[in-house]
Amino acid sequence: MAMGILDVWVSSDVDASSMVLVTDCMNGYPHELYGLQDGMTVTLSKGSEEKEVRIVRESSNECSFHYMELHPQTAKQLGLANGSRCRVTLDDKMEMKIAPVSVSRYHANVQIERHPSRQQRIVMGYSLLSMLGIRHPAKSAITVKRNASPVKLRLHVPENELDESCILPVQAAVKLGITQNGTYLLEYNHATRVLGLPEGVTQAEPFAVEQSSVSVRRPKQPQPRKSNPPAPALLAKPLPPARPTKKSAPRHAASGRALAALSAAPARPSRNAVAPWLHSSVVPRKRAR
């Protein structure tokens, strides 16, 4: 079995018989999907719905979380919402089962802000937002909860897109029972849109990565695809941002060989991406140095 966590993007520029797969983004949970080669055929399944698609492997150094891109018809058939996060499990029959992810977890270094004029906001960096799957626009309200003590704060996002910081105002920290700086497990509920700080939970990843390999069948011959597709519409965003620019990866013929070396991750791309849900009208284009 091979496993992974992917975000789902929907685009009419993707062929209805294909699925674009990008797993080299600047952020993302560990996965076992590197062996899926361009041109392979897999069967996507969610519940009783199934759809056979051909994999179009692409790479990008401007995306914030590993993702798959589907044609609107395919997404509708499988009941997958644009911008949703899901767990995929690939078996030896090349069936990729898809299940929605309800909670994303990540360990973060939480700092306490004591400045009196910054007591109504929480500071969260792009990278941290990406790992947790938080799609609130900057300056919007976000609810932070620990035990039975919810606090509503205004979200502030630093300009540096590599930022992983999490800074809580001291008044909110006291209410949440956080008395000192340190590493805490953050937990974002995608259904309730609440950011939690659970106690007694140490597992950050949604699943334990198991090293394995599965056999594959000979793929269909890949067909050309339009380049530079437009941005997918994001959930509840009046101004959808530009979709990450993708650079075509070298095509590899997969003639029936196994998904080898699943544990060997390729070199990570340069971390120079702007979080995809933050519009240019909110986030300055100038990159931090």
Side-chain angles (χ1 to χ4, degrees):
M1 302 286 277
M3 302 175 68
I5 300 290
L6 302 172
D7 283 346
V8 177
W9 300 113
V10 180
S11 172
S12 58
D13 281 332
V14 178
D15 189 271
S17 63
S18 301
M19 173 186 72
V20 175
L21 187 63
V22 180
T23 60
D24 60 349
C25 297
M26 60 180 286
N27 292 298
Y29 294 119
H31 63 81
E32 301 176 308
L33 305 176
Y34 295 111
L36 284 172
Q37 299 297 314
D38 188 86
M40 287 181 176
T41 298
V42 299
T43 299
L44 301 179
S45 68
K46 182 174 179 285
S48 60
E49 296 294 332
E50 292 186 351
K51 172 72 173 181
E52 188 175 272
V53 297
R54 177 181 53 83
I55 294 175
V56 177
R57 261 288 189 181
E58 296 189 356
S59 63
S60 173
N61 60 1
E62 297 185 5
C63 54
S64 62
F65 196 91
H66 310 319
Y67 68 94
M68 60 180 175
E69 191 175 12
L70 302 173
H71 186 273
Q73 181 181 338
T74 303
K76 182 178 180 180
Q77 178 182 340
L78 297 174
L80 295 172
N82 189 39
S84 60
R85 180 163 291 185
C86 64
R87 176 186 289 104
V88 298
T89 305
L90 180 71
D91 63 20
D92 57 358
K93 296 180 181 179
M94 294 305 288
E95 180 180 2
M96 183 177 284
K97 295 183 178 179
I98 302 174
V101 170
S102 58
V103 173
S104 294
R105 297 187 179 100
Y106 191 67
H107 283 104
N109 182 20
V110 178
Q111 302 289 313
I112 297 177
E113 173 64 77
R114 302 183 183 278
H115 197 285
S117 66
R118 301 170 184 168
Q119 293 305 302
Q120 302 301 318
R121 74 178 194 179
I122 179 174
V123 178
M124 298 185 74
Y126 295 153
S127 290
L128 181 57
L129 292 172
S130 300
M131 290 300 290
L132 292 172
I134 297 176
R135 309 195 190 284
H136 295 268
K139 299 183 180 180
S140 66
I142 183 170
T143 299
V144 185
K145 185 176 181 180
R146 196 181 198 207
N147 297 325
S149 303
V151 178
K152 185 169 286 189
L153 298 168
R154 178 171 50 86
L155 178 62
H156 176 76
V157 184
E159 291 185 18
N160 182 1
E161 56 264 28
L162 305 182
D163 200 311
E164 295 183 348
S165 63
C166 180
I167 305 175
L168 281 172
V170 63
Q171 295 176 5
V174 170
K175 187 173 182 180
L176 295 169
I178 297 176
T179 59
Q180 59 185 3
N181 299 338
T183 300
Y184 294 83
L185 181 64
L186 303 184
E187 176 181 275
Y188 182 69
N189 188 305
H190 297 275
T192 64
R193 306 187 75 190
V194 171
L195 176 65
L197 289 90
E199 293 183 291
V201 181
T202 59
Q203 182 69 26
E205 318 305 345
F207 65 94
V209 175
E210 299 175 359
Q211 305 304 334
S212 62
S213 62
V214 297
S215 60
V216 300
R217 65 173 180 252
R218 190 176 186 85
K220 296 179 180 179
Q221 191 67 23
Q223 300 297 320
R225 174 176 174 259
K226 295 179 181 179
S227 59
N228 301 321
L234 299 185
L235 296 176
K237 298 294 179 293
L239 295 173
R243 176 176 169 269
T245 301
K246 293 182 289 189
K247 300 177 181 178
S248 296
R251 305 300 188 188
H252 300 284
S255 55
R257 60 176 178 262
L259 297 178
L262 288 173
S263 61
R268 292 178 68 85
S270 58
R271 294 164 59 90
N272 62 350
V274 175
W277 58 89
L278 296 173
H279 192 263
S280 58
S281 63
V282 177
V283 182
R285 292 183 176 274
K286 181 179 180 181
R287 299 186 182 278
R289 297 186 181 274

